[in-house]
Amino acid sequence: MRFEGTDAYVATEDLTMAVNAAVALERPLLVKGEPGTGKTELARQVAEALGLRMIEWSIKSTTKAQQGLYEYDAVSRLRDSQLGDERVNDVSNYIRKGKLWQAFEAGEKIVLLIDEVDKADIEFPNDLLQELDRMEFHVYETGETVQARHRPIVIITSNNEKELPDAFLRRCFFHYIRFPEPEVLKKIVEVHHPGIKQELLSVALTQFYEIREQPGLKKKPSTSEVLDWLKLLLAEDMDPADLRREGANALPKLHGALLKNEQDVHLFERLAFMARRQGR
């Protein structure tokens, strides 16, 4: 069972090695990187390539680790007991299975994605240490122990918004997805926009990397944003000459796809103003 990338996902050699190492070690793969570099999509493509079902647990700031195991609805049970409902005699009727429970009881090997783990409270990763390590947990209300029938391939993503605990990191195989080099990004673009004219692609990517490397930029545009930008350029039937003319004024065409806050827009507006003054 080896991952080599897919037709829809350009995986670098070090990324495929990381995925296969995590699978061989049977440890969670912790994937970090800038937002929009394909961390979540990686899990989907690993599942697709290996022919496995995927269960996705999207983490929010309010998510607790217990929710991934199960939740006990004591309020509903109390209400039903007051109404004389016979369901109250079986406590399992009030147990809601979480994503880890669903993954553990699966009848086949699956991919479990724990997406954006750094959004939750700092204690969240620590609260899952034993469950991810031993692949089992105890249900106190019913007295049962839930064990993984098949150890899932666990992929955990992080946008690096906060540091993760050392004890959690020790149990993971770590990989950082670096922003792709121009040649790799070209391959990614060609997967999403097959047949794009090479001259337009070359001019657009040159301008894109210049934007990313601009000093003072608050949020660098990501892979997903350059794909959106190119989609708009193609929809508007732009040609390389249009981009070159715009590049001379420093503010890129359709810049709303690349610049996502007013500070960065103002930065390029100032650069455009200075370029026009110097051109007089």
Side-chain angles (χ1 to χ4, degrees):
M1 183 175 287
R2 290 186 61 80
F3 175 67
E4 302 292 347
T6 69
D7 292 340
Y9 190 89
V10 178
T12 57
E13 184 179 354
D14 58 341
L15 178 56
T16 58
M17 287 178 61
V19 171
N20 292 320
V23 171
L25 292 172
E26 296 189 325
R27 288 188 177 275
L29 173 63
L30 174 61
V31 185
K32 288 187 178 183
E34 294 179 29
T37 50
K39 300 183 298 296
T40 302
E41 187 60 26
L42 170 66
R44 299 187 180 118
Q45 294 300 323
V46 168
E48 175 73 20
L50 301 182
L52 304 178
R53 182 165 64 92
M54 190 181 86
I55 292 177
E56 182 173 349
W57 185 16
S58 298
I59 308 303
K60 301 178 181 178
S61 60
T62 55
T63 302
K64 302 299 180 185
Q66 181 64 33
Q67 294 172 306
L69 308 179
Y70 68 92
E71 292 182 273
Y72 170 53
D73 192 351
V75 174
S76 292
R77 192 181 188 199
L78 176 61
R79 184 188 64 242
D80 288 348
S81 69
Q82 293 170 339
L83 296 173
D85 194 323
E86 293 185 357
R87 295 176 72 249
V88 300
N89 297 321
D90 185 356
V91 68
S92 64
N93 289 324
Y94 304 92
I95 300 290
R96 185 183 299 114
K97 297 177 182 180
K99 298 295 186 180
L100 264 70
W101 190 331
Q102 295 173 32
F104 286 5
E105 73 174 2
E108 74 283 358
K109 195 175 190 67
I110 62 144
V111 173
L112 172 63
L113 168 63
I114 303 177
D115 201 23
E116 298 189 330
V117 68
D118 52 329
K119 278 188 175 180
D121 184 86
I122 189 63
E123 290 304 318
F124 177 89
N126 279 336
D127 291 343
L128 288 177
L129 286 179
Q130 180 171 311
E131 289 75 15
L132 291 177
D133 201 25
R134 298 184 181 179
M135 285 288 150
E136 66 176 34
F137 63 90
H138 187 69
V139 183
Y140 295 98
E141 289 77 8
T142 63
E144 67 179 307
T145 297
V146 177
Q147 293 181 316
R149 297 172 63 185
H150 302 274
R151 193 177 188 97
I153 297 172
V154 182
I155 297 178
I156 304 171
T157 71
S158 169
N159 287 329
N160 230 3
E161 292 182 6
K162 61 169 70 89
E163 289 296 322
L164 298 173
D166 288 345
F168 179 77
L169 295 175
R170 280 199 302 273
R171 288 166 169 82
C172 298
F173 190 92
F174 173 77
H175 182 75
Y176 184 85
I177 296 183
R178 296 179 178 85
F179 193 82
E181 297 295 325
E183 287 306 312
V184 176
L185 188 54
K186 279 185 179 181
K187 293 179 182 177
I188 294 172
V189 170
E190 286 165 359
V191 166
H192 292 269
H193 302 298
I196 187 171
K197 293 179 180 178
Q198 290 301 306
E199 187 181 1
L200 174 63
L201 179 58
S202 179
V203 172
L205 290 188
T206 297
Q207 195 170 111
F208 171 74
Y209 278 100
E210 288 174 353
I211 293 169
R212 270 188 60 87
E213 294 165 8
Q214 178 62 46
L217 200 64
K218 184 176 181 181
K219 182 195 176 302
K220 294 182 177 181
S222 67
T223 308
S224 63
E225 286 159 343
V226 72
L227 292 174
D228 286 345
W229 184 52
L230 287 166
K231 184 177 181 179
L232 289 174
L233 295 181
L234 291 170
E236 294 294 326
D237 199 22
M238 297 281 183
D239 59 37
D242 293 324
L243 294 183
R244 291 192 185 98
R245 283 196 297 272
E246 198 68 22
N249 292 328
L251 193 66
K253 273 192 180 297
L254 301 168
H255 60 267
L258 299 175
L259 306 176
K260 297 303 178 74
N261 60 69
E262 64 277 10
Q263 177 179 314
D264 290 343
V265 173
H266 291 333
L267 171 63
F268 277 88
E269 286 175 342
R270 288 195 298 272
L271 292 172
F273 176 73
M274 292 171 61
R276 287 193 296 269
R277 288 191 62 181
Q278 291 173 0
R280 289 178 181 173

